[in-house]
């Protein structure tokens, strides 16, 4: 979805350059230069954009639900680890970038969804994603959000990243997390409480071409990801008037469950051992969150999360 919108924005920019409106393109490039750091300094959200009626229909299509399991004190800052990535990341976008569900459930907290910095280099598209409350996933950006002295900020990070989208098959419970410890270090440095979030149904929205690890397709996808910075899953779902083939996601309910916070004391220079200990605790709490709620959302009793 983001890719399609980004392509449209880039295409519009090219039309400005090639047409009789090249001066508008030059003015925008000047604006882009002057505004380059904004995605790393809290962005520029617009409540008007976040409240568009189209997002209401977007959430109701699946539908998307946000489930609260514990209060989050607005006097603290939080780092919410979102799992899994899926193909669309619909739960993260629908719950943290549109509507007022998050605000109603967690009053006093402002969510910031961190996405890959590459998206903010796309003309016009960057303005759109920032207006929805998205900011860069760079270290500088996360630090800016979590450095709010009065608390009330919530960084939402899709921990598995683009790499995890290659595992987004219906029924898959594999998370790329064992080697991902940067978010733990950031939480420690800023004293941000960690909150595991699991989005049930995220991997059910599309069917992906079989790409087991070691296959030629997976090798090509992983190499392209290293070069471009984002993954290219080959997926399909339903069409507009038929259900056999298309790129419109299936209507599968998404339940994004926000777990209980893990208190974190500020530590400007955490040791490797301290990072490892907190990482292990986070994995334990994430697994517990999944096990406690899987029965409610159609996950068989014998199935559990796979960390890799």
């Amino acid at each position: 979805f983001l890719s399609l919108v980004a392509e449209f924005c880039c295409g519009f920019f090219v039309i400005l350059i090639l047409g009789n409106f090249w001066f508008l393109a030059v003015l925008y490039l000047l604006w882009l230069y002057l505004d380059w750091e904004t995605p790393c300094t809290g962005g520029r959200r617009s409540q008007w954009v976040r409240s568009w009626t189209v997002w209401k229909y977007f959430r109701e299509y699946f539908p998307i639900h946000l489930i609260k399991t514990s209060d989050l004190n607005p006097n603290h800052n939080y780092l919410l680890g979102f799992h899994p990535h899926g193909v669309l990341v619909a739960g993260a976008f629908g719950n943290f970038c549109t509507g007022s569900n998050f605000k109603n459930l967690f009053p006093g907290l402002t969510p910031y969804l961190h996405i890959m910095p590459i998206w903010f280099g796309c003309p016009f598209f960057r303005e759109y994603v920032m207006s929805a409350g998205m900011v860069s996933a760079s270290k500088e950006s996360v630090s800016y959000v979590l450095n709010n002295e009065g608390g009330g900020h919530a960084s939402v990070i899709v921990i598995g990243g683009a790499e995890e989208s290659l595992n987004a098959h219906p029924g898959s419970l594999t998370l790329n997390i064992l080697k991902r410890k940067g978010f733990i270090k950031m939480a420690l440095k800023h004293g941000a409480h960690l909150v595991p979030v699991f989005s049930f149904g995220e991997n059910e929205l599309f069917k992906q071409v079989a790409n087991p690890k070691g296959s030629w397709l997976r090798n090509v996808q992983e190499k392209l990801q290293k070069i471009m910075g984002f993954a290219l899953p080959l997926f399909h779902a339903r069409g507009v008037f038929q259900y056999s083939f298309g790129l419109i996601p299936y209507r599968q309910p998404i339940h994004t469950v926000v777990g209980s916070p893990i208190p974190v004391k500020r530590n400007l220079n955490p040791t490797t051992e301290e990072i490892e200990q907190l990482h292990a605790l986070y994995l334990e709490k994430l697994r517990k969150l999944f096990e406690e709620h899987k029965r409610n959302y159609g996950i068989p009793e014998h199935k559990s999360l796979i960390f890799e």
Side-chain angles (χ1 to χ4, degrees):
F1 177 74
L2 287 178
S3 298
L4 291 175
V5 178
E7 289 175 9
F8 173 81
C9 291
C10 289
F12 180 70
F13 185 70
V14 171
I15 291 174
L16 288 180
I17 295 176
L18 298 179
N20 294 323
F21 303 98
W22 59 267
F23 61 94
L24 293 178
V26 172
L27 288 175
Y28 183 79
L29 286 176
L30 177 61
W31 162 257
L32 191 63
Y33 173 77
L34 297 174
D35 194 57
W36 190 254
E37 296 299 324
T38 301
C40 295
T41 54
R44 186 172 47 248
R45 69 181 57 218
S46 165
Q47 193 55 42
W48 175 67
V49 173
R50 290 168 61 87
S51 301
W52 280 351
T53 303
V54 67
W55 304 136
K56 176 177 178 290
Y57 293 122
F58 173 79
R59 294 191 303 272
E60 292 178 351
Y61 171 80
F62 298 98
I64 296 174
H65 304 279
L66 185 64
I67 292 87
K68 172 183 176 180
T69 64
S70 176
D71 289 332
L72 298 181
N73 189 332
N75 293 324
H76 298 296
N77 293 316
Y78 297 88
L79 195 159
L80 278 61
F82 183 91
H83 314 269
H85 184 288
V87 171
L88 190 62
V89 205
F93 179 76
N95 286 311
F96 304 119
C97 296
T98 71
S100 58
N101 284 351
F102 185 86
K103 281 277 188 181
N104 293 336
L105 290 177
F106 304 102
L109 282 184
T110 301
Y112 295 82
L113 179 59
H114 296 269
I115 63 175
M116 291 188 298
I118 189 175
W119 294 117
F120 296 99
C122 180
F124 300 115
F125 179 72
R126 69 189 297 274
E127 320 303 334
Y128 158 68
V129 293
M130 277 197 290
S131 66
M134 287 178 259
V135 292
S136 173
S138 67
K139 291 180 180 178
E140 295 78 12
S141 177
V142 177
S143 291
Y144 184 91
V145 173
L146 296 181
N147 204 33
N148 190 41
E149 292 185 3
H153 282 188
S155 278
V156 183
I157 301 178
V158 184
I159 305 299
E163 181 183 356
E164 194 172 83
S165 68
L166 300 178
N167 291 327
H169 297 271
S172 173
L173 296 172
T174 301
L175 304 181
N176 291 61
I177 191 172
L178 291 182
K179 296 181 180 179
R180 296 180 181 263
K181 300 171 185 176
F183 73 103
I184 298 290
K185 191 173 183 179
M186 292 299 292
L188 282 166
K189 283 190 171 184
H190 295 281
H193 295 353
L194 282 166
V195 182
V197 178
F198 195 87
S199 194
F200 292 88
E202 200 74 45
N203 284 339
E204 320 306 316
L205 305 186
F206 297 92
K207 292 180 180 177
Q208 190 172 167
V209 175
N211 60 341
K213 286 201 169 184
S215 65
W216 69 269
L217 176 57
R218 186 60 167 258
N219 290 336
V220 170
Q221 289 175 318
E222 290 176 347
K223 288 180 180 178
L224 289 175
Q225 186 217 335
K226 291 179 180 178
I227 295 172
M228 299 183 297
F230 55 89
L232 292 173
L234 298 179
F235 59 88
H236 66 89
R238 54 163 289 186
V240 179
F241 302 111
Q242 44 77 29
Y243 293 86
S244 57
F245 189 82
L247 294 178
I248 297 176
Y250 293 115
R251 296 192 70 176
Q252 295 289 339
I254 297 172
H255 295 87
T256 303
V257 184
V258 181
S260 301
I262 303 170
V264 178
K265 290 185 178 180
R266 190 174 188 183
N267 185 345
L268 294 177
N269 296 293
T271 64
T272 300
E273 183 180 359
E274 289 170 331
I275 294 173
E276 293 286 351
Q277 287 178 349
L278 185 55
H279 187 261
L281 177 59
Y282 179 86
L283 294 183
E284 177 187 331
K285 295 295 185 181
L286 174 59
R287 189 182 295 279
K288 181 180 179 182
L289 177 70
F290 173 81
E291 293 294 332
E292 288 179 347
H293 294 273
K294 68 180 183 180
R295 301 172 192 82
N296 299 331
Y297 307 117
I299 306 296
E301 185 65 32
H302 68 279
K303 286 205 168 187
S304 297
L305 293 179
I306 300 172
F307 297 146
E308 64 175 32

